[in-house]
Short mmCIF file of all heavy atoms in Angstrom, two decimals:
data_model
loop_
_atom_site.label_atom_id
_atom_site.label_comp_id
_atom_site.label_asym_id
_atom_site.label_seq_id
_atom_site.Cartn_x
_atom_site.Cartn_y
_atom_site.Cartn_z
N LYS A 201 87.26 36.99 42.55
CA LYS A 201 85.94 37.03 43.16
C LYS A 201 84.93 36.51 42.13
O LYS A 201 84.70 37.13 41.10
CB LYS A 201 85.58 38.44 43.60
CG LYS A 201 86.47 38.97 44.71
CD LYS A 201 86.04 40.37 45.14
CE LYS A 201 86.92 40.89 46.27
NZ LYS A 201 86.53 42.25 46.69
N ASP A 202 84.34 35.38 42.43
CA ASP A 202 83.40 34.77 41.50
C ASP A 202 81.98 35.24 41.73
O ASP A 202 81.60 35.60 42.85
CB ASP A 202 83.43 33.25 41.64
CG ASP A 202 84.81 32.66 41.40
OD1 ASP A 202 85.61 33.30 40.69
OD2 ASP A 202 85.08 31.57 41.93
N THR A 203 81.21 35.22 40.67
CA THR A 203 79.77 35.45 40.77
C THR A 203 79.07 34.36 39.96
O THR A 203 79.67 33.72 39.09
CB THR A 203 79.35 36.83 40.22
OG1 THR A 203 79.75 36.93 38.85
CG2 THR A 203 80.00 37.95 41.03
N VAL A 204 77.80 34.16 40.27
CA VAL A 204 76.96 33.27 39.47
C VAL A 204 75.97 34.14 38.72
O VAL A 204 75.19 34.89 39.34
CB VAL A 204 76.23 32.24 40.36
CG1 VAL A 204 75.23 31.45 39.52
CG2 VAL A 204 77.24 31.30 41.01
N GLU A 205 76.02 34.06 37.41
CA GLU A 205 75.12 34.83 36.56
C GLU A 205 73.97 33.93 36.11
O GLU A 205 74.19 32.82 35.64
CB GLU A 205 75.86 35.38 35.34
CG GLU A 205 77.16 36.10 35.66
CD GLU A 205 76.97 37.34 36.51
OE1 GLU A 205 75.88 37.97 36.39
OE2 GLU A 205 77.88 37.69 37.27
N VAL A 206 72.76 34.40 36.28
CA VAL A 206 71.57 33.61 35.95
C VAL A 206 70.88 34.21 34.73
O VAL A 206 70.58 35.42 34.71
CB VAL A 206 70.59 33.55 37.14
CG1 VAL A 206 69.45 32.59 36.82
CG2 VAL A 206 71.31 33.14 38.42
N TYR A 207 70.65 33.38 33.71
CA TYR A 207 70.04 33.82 32.47
C TYR A 207 68.81 32.97 32.15
O TYR A 207 68.65 31.86 32.66
CB TYR A 207 71.03 33.69 31.30
CG TYR A 207 72.28 34.51 31.44
CD1 TYR A 207 73.40 33.98 32.08
CD2 TYR A 207 72.35 35.80 30.93
CE1 TYR A 207 74.57 34.72 32.20
CE2 TYR A 207 73.51 36.55 31.04
CZ TYR A 207 74.61 36.01 31.68
OH TYR A 207 75.76 36.75 31.81
N GLU A 208 67.98 33.53 31.28
CA GLU A 208 66.82 32.80 30.77
C GLU A 208 66.86 32.84 29.24
O GLU A 208 67.04 33.90 28.65
CB GLU A 208 65.53 33.43 31.27
CG GLU A 208 64.29 32.60 30.99
CD GLU A 208 63.07 33.18 31.70
OE1 GLU A 208 62.58 34.22 31.24
OE2 GLU A 208 62.65 32.61 32.72
N PHE A 209 66.72 31.66 28.64
CA PHE A 209 66.77 31.56 27.19
C PHE A 209 65.39 31.24 26.65
O PHE A 209 64.75 30.27 27.06
CB PHE A 209 67.76 30.48 26.76
CG PHE A 209 67.85 30.28 25.28
CD1 PHE A 209 68.40 31.26 24.47
CD2 PHE A 209 67.36 29.11 24.69
CE1 PHE A 209 68.49 31.08 23.10
CE2 PHE A 209 67.44 28.93 23.32
CZ PHE A 209 68.01 29.92 22.51
N ASP A 210 64.93 32.08 25.74
CA ASP A 210 63.64 31.88 25.09
C ASP A 210 63.89 31.19 23.75
O ASP A 210 64.50 31.77 22.84
CB ASP A 210 62.95 33.22 24.88
CG ASP A 210 61.50 33.07 24.42
OD1 ASP A 210 61.26 32.25 23.52
OD2 ASP A 210 60.62 33.76 24.97
N GLU A 211 63.42 29.94 23.63
CA GLU A 211 63.67 29.17 22.41
C GLU A 211 62.92 29.71 21.21
O GLU A 211 63.33 29.51 20.06
CB GLU A 211 63.30 27.71 22.64
CG GLU A 211 64.18 27.02 23.67
CD GLU A 211 63.67 25.64 24.04
OE1 GLU A 211 62.69 25.58 24.82
OE2 GLU A 211 64.23 24.65 23.54
N ASN A 212 61.80 30.39 21.44
CA ASN A 212 61.02 30.92 20.32
C ASN A 212 61.70 32.14 19.69
O ASN A 212 61.88 32.21 18.48
CB ASN A 212 59.61 31.29 20.78
CG ASN A 212 58.81 30.05 21.21
OD1 ASN A 212 58.90 29.00 20.57
ND2 ASN A 212 58.05 30.19 22.28
N SER A 213 62.09 33.09 20.54
CA SER A 213 62.72 34.30 20.04
C SER A 213 64.23 34.18 19.95
O SER A 213 64.90 35.07 19.43
CB SER A 213 62.37 35.49 20.95
OG SER A 213 62.91 35.29 22.26
N LYS A 214 64.78 33.06 20.47
CA LYS A 214 66.24 32.84 20.51
C LYS A 214 66.96 33.97 21.24
O LYS A 214 68.07 34.35 20.91
CB LYS A 214 66.82 32.72 19.08
CG LYS A 214 66.14 31.69 18.20
CD LYS A 214 66.24 30.29 18.79
CE LYS A 214 65.58 29.26 17.89
NZ LYS A 214 65.58 27.90 18.46
N SER A 215 66.30 34.48 22.28
CA SER A 215 66.88 35.59 23.04
C SER A 215 67.34 35.12 24.42
O SER A 215 66.76 34.21 25.01
CB SER A 215 65.86 36.72 23.19
OG SER A 215 64.72 36.27 23.89
N LEU A 216 68.37 35.77 24.92
CA LEU A 216 68.93 35.48 26.23
C LEU A 216 68.76 36.70 27.12
O LEU A 216 69.18 37.80 26.77
CB LEU A 216 70.42 35.13 26.11
CG LEU A 216 71.11 34.55 27.33
CD1 LEU A 216 70.58 33.16 27.66
CD2 LEU A 216 72.62 34.47 27.09
N THR A 217 68.12 36.49 28.27
CA THR A 217 67.86 37.58 29.20
C THR A 217 68.54 37.31 30.53
O THR A 217 68.38 36.22 31.11
CB THR A 217 66.35 37.75 29.44
OG1 THR A 217 65.69 37.97 28.19
CG2 THR A 217 66.08 38.92 30.38
N LYS A 218 69.29 38.29 31.02
CA LYS A 218 69.93 38.12 32.32
C LYS A 218 68.90 38.40 33.42
O LYS A 218 68.23 39.43 33.42
CB LYS A 218 71.12 39.06 32.47
CG LYS A 218 71.85 38.91 33.80
CD LYS A 218 73.10 39.76 33.85
CE LYS A 218 73.80 39.62 35.20
NZ LYS A 218 75.04 40.41 35.28
N LEU A 219 68.79 37.47 34.37
CA LEU A 219 67.84 37.62 35.46
C LEU A 219 68.47 38.24 36.69
O LEU A 219 67.90 39.13 37.31
CB LEU A 219 67.24 36.25 35.82
CG LEU A 219 66.51 35.51 34.70
CD1 LEU A 219 65.97 34.19 35.21
CD2 LEU A 219 65.37 36.37 34.15
N LYS A 220 69.67 37.76 37.07
CA LYS A 220 70.33 38.32 38.23
C LYS A 220 71.76 37.84 38.32
O LYS A 220 72.17 36.89 37.64
CB LYS A 220 69.59 37.97 39.52
CG LYS A 220 69.43 36.48 39.80
CD LYS A 220 68.62 36.27 41.09
CE LYS A 220 68.30 34.81 41.31
NZ LYS A 220 67.52 34.60 42.56
N SER A 221 72.52 38.49 39.19
CA SER A 221 73.89 38.11 39.49
C SER A 221 73.98 37.83 40.99
O SER A 221 73.49 38.62 41.81
CB SER A 221 74.86 39.23 39.10
OG SER A 221 76.19 38.88 39.42
N ILE A 222 74.58 36.70 41.36
CA ILE A 222 74.65 36.29 42.76
C ILE A 222 76.11 36.28 43.20
O ILE A 222 76.97 35.71 42.52
CB ILE A 222 74.04 34.89 42.96
CG1 ILE A 222 72.60 34.87 42.44
CG2 ILE A 222 74.09 34.48 44.42
CD1 ILE A 222 72.02 33.47 42.34
N SER A 223 76.41 36.92 44.32
CA SER A 223 77.78 36.97 44.83
C SER A 223 77.79 36.57 46.30
O SER A 223 76.77 36.61 46.99
CB SER A 223 78.36 38.38 44.67
OG SER A 223 77.60 39.33 45.39
N SER A 224 78.96 36.17 46.78
CA SER A 224 79.11 35.74 48.16
C SER A 224 80.59 35.71 48.53
O SER A 224 81.45 35.51 47.66
CB SER A 224 78.50 34.34 48.36
OG SER A 224 78.85 33.79 49.61
N LYS A 225 80.87 35.88 49.81
CA LYS A 225 82.25 35.75 50.28
C LYS A 225 82.76 34.32 50.10
O LYS A 225 83.97 34.08 50.07
CB LYS A 225 82.35 36.14 51.75
CG LYS A 225 81.55 35.24 52.69
CD LYS A 225 81.68 35.68 54.14
CE LYS A 225 80.89 34.77 55.08
NZ LYS A 225 81.00 35.20 56.50
N TYR A 226 81.85 33.37 49.98
CA TYR A 226 82.23 31.98 49.80
C TYR A 226 82.57 31.64 48.34
O TYR A 226 83.11 30.57 48.06
CB TYR A 226 81.11 31.05 50.25
CG TYR A 226 80.74 31.18 51.70
CD1 TYR A 226 79.44 31.51 52.08
CD2 TYR A 226 81.68 30.98 52.70
CE1 TYR A 226 79.09 31.64 53.42
CE2 TYR A 226 81.35 31.09 54.04
CZ TYR A 226 80.04 31.42 54.39
OH TYR A 226 79.70 31.54 55.71
N TYR A 227 82.24 32.53 47.43
CA TYR A 227 82.42 32.23 46.01
C TYR A 227 83.86 32.48 45.57
O TYR A 227 84.19 33.51 44.96
CB TYR A 227 81.43 33.03 45.17
CG TYR A 227 80.02 32.45 45.17
CD1 TYR A 227 79.71 31.34 45.93
CD2 TYR A 227 79.01 33.00 44.40
CE1 TYR A 227 78.43 30.81 45.96
CE2 TYR A 227 77.73 32.47 44.40
CZ TYR A 227 77.44 31.38 45.18
OH TYR A 227 76.17 30.84 45.18
N ILE A 228 84.73 31.52 45.88
CA ILE A 228 86.11 31.50 45.41
C ILE A 228 86.37 30.12 44.80
O ILE A 228 85.74 29.14 45.18
CB ILE A 228 87.12 31.78 46.53
CG1 ILE A 228 87.04 30.70 47.62
CG2 ILE A 228 86.92 33.17 47.11
CD1 ILE A 228 88.15 30.75 48.64
N ASN A 229 87.27 30.06 43.82
CA ASN A 229 87.62 28.79 43.18
C ASN A 229 86.36 28.01 42.76
O ASN A 229 86.32 26.79 42.87
CB ASN A 229 88.47 27.93 44.13
CG ASN A 229 89.72 28.64 44.58
OD1 ASN A 229 90.46 29.21 43.78
ND2 ASN A 229 89.98 28.64 45.89
N SER A 230 85.38 28.73 42.30
CA SER A 230 84.11 28.10 41.93
C SER A 230 84.29 27.28 40.66
O SER A 230 85.02 27.66 39.75
CB SER A 230 83.03 29.16 41.71
OG SER A 230 82.92 30.00 42.86
N ASN A 231 83.60 26.14 40.61
CA ASN A 231 83.85 25.22 39.50
C ASN A 231 82.59 24.87 38.72
O ASN A 231 82.43 25.27 37.59
CB ASN A 231 84.54 23.97 40.03
CG ASN A 231 85.27 23.20 38.97
OD1 ASN A 231 84.70 22.88 37.94
ND2 ASN A 231 86.55 22.90 39.20
N ASP A 232 81.67 24.12 39.32
CA ASP A 232 80.52 23.64 38.57
C ASP A 232 79.24 23.78 39.38
O ASP A 232 79.25 23.70 40.61
CB ASP A 232 80.73 22.19 38.16
CG ASP A 232 79.77 21.73 37.08
OD1 ASP A 232 79.23 22.60 36.36
OD2 ASP A 232 79.56 20.52 36.94
N ILE A 233 78.13 23.97 38.66
CA ILE A 233 76.82 24.21 39.27
C ILE A 233 75.86 23.09 38.88
O ILE A 233 75.88 22.61 37.75
CB ILE A 233 76.23 25.55 38.78
CG1 ILE A 233 77.06 26.73 39.30
CG2 ILE A 233 74.78 25.72 39.24
CD1 ILE A 233 76.61 28.05 38.72
N VAL A 234 75.00 22.71 39.83
CA VAL A 234 73.87 21.85 39.49
C VAL A 234 72.61 22.47 40.08
O VAL A 234 72.56 22.83 41.25
CB VAL A 234 74.07 20.41 40.00
CG1 VAL A 234 74.19 20.34 41.52
CG2 VAL A 234 72.94 19.50 39.52
N ALA A 235 71.60 22.63 39.23
CA ALA A 235 70.34 23.24 39.67
C ALA A 235 69.43 22.19 40.28
O ALA A 235 69.34 21.06 39.80
CB ALA A 235 69.64 23.91 38.49
N ILE A 236 68.74 22.57 41.35
CA ILE A 236 67.75 21.71 41.99
C ILE A 236 66.36 22.07 41.50
O ILE A 236 65.52 21.20 41.27
CB ILE A 236 67.84 21.84 43.52
CG1 ILE A 236 69.25 21.48 44.01
CG2 ILE A 236 66.79 20.95 44.20
CD1 ILE A 236 69.73 20.11 43.60
N ASP A 237 66.10 23.35 41.35
CA ASP A 237 64.85 23.82 40.78
C ASP A 237 65.11 25.19 40.16
O ASP A 237 66.26 25.52 39.84
CB ASP A 237 63.72 23.86 41.84
CG ASP A 237 64.09 24.67 43.07
OD1 ASP A 237 64.91 25.62 42.97
OD2 ASP A 237 63.55 24.37 44.16
#
């Protein structure tokens, strides 16, 4: 069962913050992501 984890990276503080986790019944054999916005 795959999920997509969304993070935000702050270049000034060099910190990584998790924003959310996205799941779906369609998320199997997931491979690559491309962001639109």
Side-chain angles (χ1 to χ4, degrees):
K201 295 182 179 180
D202 302 335
T203 59
V204 173
E205 310 297 330
V206 187
Y207 299 89
E208 190 172 74
F209 178 69
D210 190 314
E211 295 172 282
N212 294 320
S213 64
K214 307 299 182 184
S215 61
L216 191 67
T217 303
K218 182 175 178 178
L219 301 181
K220 59 182 173 180
S221 179
I222 304 168
S223 61
S224 169
K225 64 180 180 180
Y226 299 122
Y227 282 3
I228 61 170
N229 303 312
S230 305
N231 200 308
D232 195 21
I233 293 174
V234 61
I236 302 304
D237 55 28

